[in-house]
Structure formats: C-alpha cells, structure tokens
Amino acid sequence: MSHRTFSVVICVYTEDRWADILDAVESVRRQSLPALETLVVVDHNARLLDRLTEEFTPGRGPASPGEEVRVLANAGPRGLSAGRNTGVAAARGAFVAFLDDDAVAEHDWLRHLAEGYDDPRVMAVGGRTLPVWASGRRPVWFPEEFDWVVGCTYRGLPPGRVPVRNVLGGNASFRRTAFDAAGGFATGIGRDGGRRPLGCEETELCIRLGRALPDAVLLIDDRAVIHHKVPAARESFRYFRTRAYAEGLSKALVSRSVGSGKGLETERRYTTRVLPAGVLRGLRDALLGRPGGAGRAGAIAVGAAAAAAGYAVARARTRPGVAFSHGPITAPAPRLEAR
C-alpha cells in the first residue's frame, strides 16, 4: 500500500471546535498508512486561519511521514463545498480523503480506504462513521435509520465493502482524477456555517462522476471507521426534525439537477424498505416493554414526513435542470501519480 499517496482535507470554520480540529489532525498523523499531507481549509474566519497557521508552523518539531500540515483559506464562496474544492485544488496526493473537523479516524482508516483502489475502476471509497454522543449514550427515541441526521452511517446501508451510488462526505476519498473528470463539489447545496443544515453535495458529485465516467465504481468499506462527535444541541428532537426537512430540500435540488431517476435511486429503497422495517421494529420493542420503542417508531414517521415536506417545497420553488457551480478545481499543485 505504500504507493497510495493520500492528501487528507479537513474543512473548518469555527474556533469553538479548536480541540476537535487538533484531535482530527492528530488522528491523521497516527495512521498506519501515513498521509502525504493534511490540508486544513479555513472557511472565511481570519482569526481561526491565523491561529491554525501559527499552530502548524513548519519547524516546530521533527518532520515525519504524515505530519506535514498545510493551512489554507477557502478560495471560494463561504461553505463546505468550496472549502473542499480548495483542498482538492491544492492536494498533491493521487488520492484525496475528507475527514470532518469534529471526527477522529481510527488507526487503519487510510489503509482500508486505500485497499479499495486496487481495482483501477474504483474512483471513490467511503467508510463507516460512528456517533459519539455528547450525553454519553444514544437518545432512546433516536432511530439508527436516521443517523445520517448527525452525519453518521445509518441503519440500512449494506455491510462490508460494497458498491454504492454515492459515498458520505465526512468519511470519503476520491482519486484525484475523479475531479478532473467531473469537476468539484457543487456550491449552493452543502452546509454553510450556521445556516440551515443542507447537505447532499457529495451525492450530486458522485452522480455527476458516474455520468462522466460510466465504468466508474464507488465503494463503501465499513472497516474504514471514523468517530464523529455529536454535540448536545444535535441530540434534540427539534434538530432532528429540522435536519430531516433540510435533507428534503437538498434532495429536491439534486433531483432537479441530475434527474429524479439517479437523484432518488437510493432513497426509494430507503423509504419503501428500511423505514417501514424500522417502524415495525420500534412498535415491537414497545410491545415488549423496551425503552424508546414507540418513540423511535414515531421519530421515523416524523422524520420521513419532514423530509417529504422539504422535498415538496423545494420542488415547487425550483425549475427543472437547475445547474450549480462545480469549482474551482483549477491549476492543481503537482501531485504524485498512482501506480
């Protein structure tokens, strides 16, 4: 695996996550397969940019593989998509991995991602994201089928290393050539600091990648594990409902852009098979007297309704064929080629 050269991109935006950012970077430094570099991209926060630049000034300590950290300012509009595009444009590795700023990667994370690229058709490999609840335990009413609400792998995804329509952005990697073929993450879809928590920018990119490279294979390998911190505010039912509604908005934008065939391909199975099974499981637990069963069944129903409402609202407000900016992914720095 030594020929797999990874640039790891961590997008950051607030000093409130200072300790989390340092933990994320340190988890990359400790990888069994060393990263070529870690790129910390700061989203329009001058104070955080200065502080991180000082923290990772070269020469503070002895250099070793995986310890090069470069701090960059987001070169595009505010938001996660442009931050990721900035990282991709600066990346020197043949592969670009993305790690959330409030997550830590397990020791073999990059090694497991790298193994998927033994097949030259594979253009993206994602992993499994596990929640770390601020309260110390999952809220009893919170269904695993909706763990995507807090940026984690949800119940219903197939186990093992399997082909998928799209990887999940907080724990994902791509060949650098994938961006040459399809462009970058679309701005106007993903998260933007404290605004409504939209998403699906990685879904739109993966669908576009499949169109640009019809033979491309995208994988999820559930051995490539990261642990994602869930703050107390995101353990609330209010956040759950709001995030589900925002997901509906995002899905509508994606389906308007790429068509509902691909845009909703995975979601049809999720809503017709995964969610009904979750409701039945919750009701069964309630009948057996297990804590939270009725709450989980109700939360699934509310979450599905909120997502459907968001989807309907956005579909009514947007025109078919809506287009998004996919850059800039221009003039990338010289990079090491995969063998």
Side-chain angles (χ1 to χ4, degrees):
M1 292 303 167
S2 60
H3 62 285
R4 303 301 190 206
T5 55
F6 278 86
S7 297
V8 178
V9 176
I10 302 173
C11 295
V12 305
Y13 70 97
T14 175
E15 287 185 273
D16 293 343
R17 292 185 177 178
W18 178 258
D20 294 340
I21 295 167
L22 299 186
D23 288 345
V25 172
E26 186 61 24
S27 75
V28 177
R29 284 176 156 172
R30 294 180 177 178
Q31 289 297 299
S32 60
L33 176 65
L36 173 68
E37 60 187 351
T38 302
L39 305 175
V40 181
V41 183
V42 182
D43 191 17
H44 298 272
N45 185 328
R47 179 171 172 173
L48 179 58
L49 179 66
D50 291 344
R51 190 177 177 187
L52 285 168
T53 300
E54 181 179 356
E55 177 72 21
F56 295 112
T57 298
R60 279 193 155 196
S64 63
E67 287 202 356
E68 181 181 2
V69 180
R70 289 195 284 152
V71 179
L72 309 170
N74 180 358
R78 186 182 301 276
L80 181 58
S81 291
R84 286 174 173 167
N85 290 341
T86 297
V88 171
R92 297 178 298 176
F95 304 88
V96 183
F98 297 94
L99 179 65
D100 277 344
D101 64 343
D102 53 355
V104 293
E106 290 193 357
H107 182 60
D108 292 325
W109 174 60
L110 284 181
R111 183 173 298 278
H112 289 310
L113 293 179
E115 289 173 357
Y117 292 107
D118 289 342
D119 183 342
R121 298 173 302 163
V122 173
M123 300 303 292
V125 182
R128 181 159 54 111
T129 302
L130 302 178
V132 180
W133 304 93
S135 62
R137 58 176 295 181
R138 170 187 296 274
V140 293
W141 59 267
F142 203 113
E144 293 182 12
E145 291 82 1
F146 274 80
D147 276 6
W148 54 262
V149 164
V150 291
C152 296
T153 302
Y154 57 90
R155 187 170 194 157
L157 287 176
R161 185 197 291 171
V162 293
V164 291
R165 179 195 64 183
N166 64 275
V167 296
L168 305 180
N171 179 6
S173 66
F174 295 82
R175 289 188 191 270
R176 180 57 181 77
T177 53
F179 299 102
D180 297 334
F185 291 92
T187 57
I189 301 179
R191 287 179 176 267
D192 178 2
R195 295 186 181 182
R196 188 186 297 276
L198 298 174
C200 295
E201 66 275 13
E202 65 274 5
T203 301
E204 194 272 347
L205 170 62
C206 289
I207 293 172
R208 194 165 11 99
L209 176 60
R211 288 182 171 179
L213 300 173
D215 294 331
V217 176
L218 286 69
L219 300 175
I220 284 183
D221 188 333
D222 63 9
R223 300 172 303 163
V225 177
I226 71 170
H227 298 265
H228 185 264
K229 299 173 184 177
V230 182
R234 296 187 181 182
E235 294 186 15
S236 70
F237 188 73
R238 178 179 180 182
Y239 180 84
F240 175 90
R241 187 179 63 247
T242 300
R243 178 67 185 87
Y245 179 80
E247 184 74 1
L249 296 175
S250 298
K251 293 295 184 189
L253 292 175
V254 170
S255 66
R256 283 296 199 193
S257 176
V258 302
S260 59
K262 277 293 184 182
L264 298 176
E265 182 179 56
T266 300
E267 290 71 19
R268 290 190 181 94
R269 176 187 176 276
Y270 175 75
T271 55
T272 59
R273 297 178 61 184
V274 175
L275 294 188
V279 171
L280 291 175
R281 195 161 33 246
L283 294 176
R284 181 196 63 195
D285 287 347
L287 289 174
L288 294 174
R290 295 170 181 167
R296 290 191 294 275
I300 290 173
V302 171
Y311 181 85
V313 168
R315 288 283 291 189
R317 292 177 178 176
T318 57
R319 300 186 305 274
V322 61
F324 299 101
S325 171
H326 301 144
I329 304 292
T330 57
R335 57 186 183 274
L336 301 180
E337 296 298 330
R339 293 199 297 250

